[in-house]
Amino acid sequence: MQQALDEIRFIRNHPSADRSAFRRYAAWQVRSALNRSAIVPLEQYGLRFFCPADRRGAAKLVYTFREHCESELPNLPKFISKGDTAVDIGAHFGIYTLAMSSLVGPEGLVIAVEPSARAIATLRRNVAMNDLKNVDIIFAAAADRDGEASFFITADMSRSSLVAESDDCEKVRVVRLETIIKSRPVRFIKIDVEGGEALALRGARAILQADRPIIQFE
């Protein structure tokens, strides 16, 4: 009961909360209970987003608030331009990946890094559904070394992490950004990795020193 009240309070206090958002939030409770996914428009970026029928997490927020699900998303055009290279670390279902792809255009590149097998399936679906040719998907977690590590799974997939231990975990590939990005200067890096930010940044030290990218992280 408390969790439901906290969720409603969060929706009510969201900067983009209005009557239509509350209607969509209520509709999502029904859709997820019936295991019915949805495809919603991201009007600012001229794209569509597939929301898997997950009761918790990112799909619910995108369905409810569209591209305003996070306050930073509408502000990305201030930092990303045509031809840029942008990196989405912890891409999850791809809301940032899609927005970045629209902004960098055909001459630019988005590198989406995601270690979760379940999340990356939806990420790939969203990239394919929008026919995005300027996105490279890396099935791995960004870290300070190349190899393997334990990835801890939570009920809300968007909270899974290399560092926040839970009872459920899986082995995933880990990579340094320096390993996978060598030939293009990086303009923008978004990091959402639930406590693993330091690992990702240590693996990008050379990029940070050479390119001085803008970094967005929690």
Side-chain angles (χ1 to χ4, degrees), residues 60-71:
K60 170 188 64 187
L61 294 177
V62 176
Y63 186 87
T64 301
F65 295 113
R66 308 304 202 247
E67 62 266 45
H68 299 281
C69 61
E70 293 191 16
S71 59

Side-chain angles (χ1 to χ4, degrees), residues 55-170:
R55 168 65 183 79
R56 301 180 180 181
K60 170 188 64 187
L61 294 177
V62 176
Y63 186 87
T64 301
F65 295 113
R66 308 304 202 247
E67 62 266 45
H68 299 281
C69 61
E70 293 191 16
S71 59
E72 295 85 359
L73 273 163
N75 293 317
L76 288 182
K78 297 179 182 178
F79 308 111
I80 301 174
S81 302
K82 297 294 183 185
D84 282 346
T85 295
V87 184
D88 187 0
I89 301 177
H92 197 51
F93 295 154
I95 184 69
Y96 274 89
T97 297
L98 268 60
M100 291 173 176
S101 172
S102 173
L103 293 171
V104 304
E107 297 80 22
L109 177 67
V110 177
I111 299 168
V113 184
E114 173 56 48
S116 165
R118 186 177 173 197
I120 206 167
T122 298
L123 171 63
R124 286 171 172 157
R125 178 168 182 165
N126 276 317
V127 168
M129 180 174 66
N130 289 284
D131 194 28
L132 303 180
K133 308 297 187 185
N134 59 354
V135 175
D136 283 351
I137 297 175
I138 307 298
F139 186 15
D144 56 353
R145 61 185 179 86
D146 300 324
E148 263 192 353
S150 294
F151 185 67
F152 297 96
I153 310 300
T154 58
D156 176 356
M157 280 196 303
S158 65
R159 302 294 183 187
S160 300
S161 168
L162 288 175
V163 298
E165 294 190 12
S166 65
D167 293 334
D168 188 15
C169 73
E170 61 187 18

Side-chain angles (χ1 to χ4, degrees), residues 187-204:
R187 170 65 175 168
F188 186 89
I189 300 175
K190 164 260 181 183
I191 310 176
D192 186 357
V193 289
E194 300 301 317
E197 290 82 4
L199 297 175
L201 291 171
R202 283 200 293 268

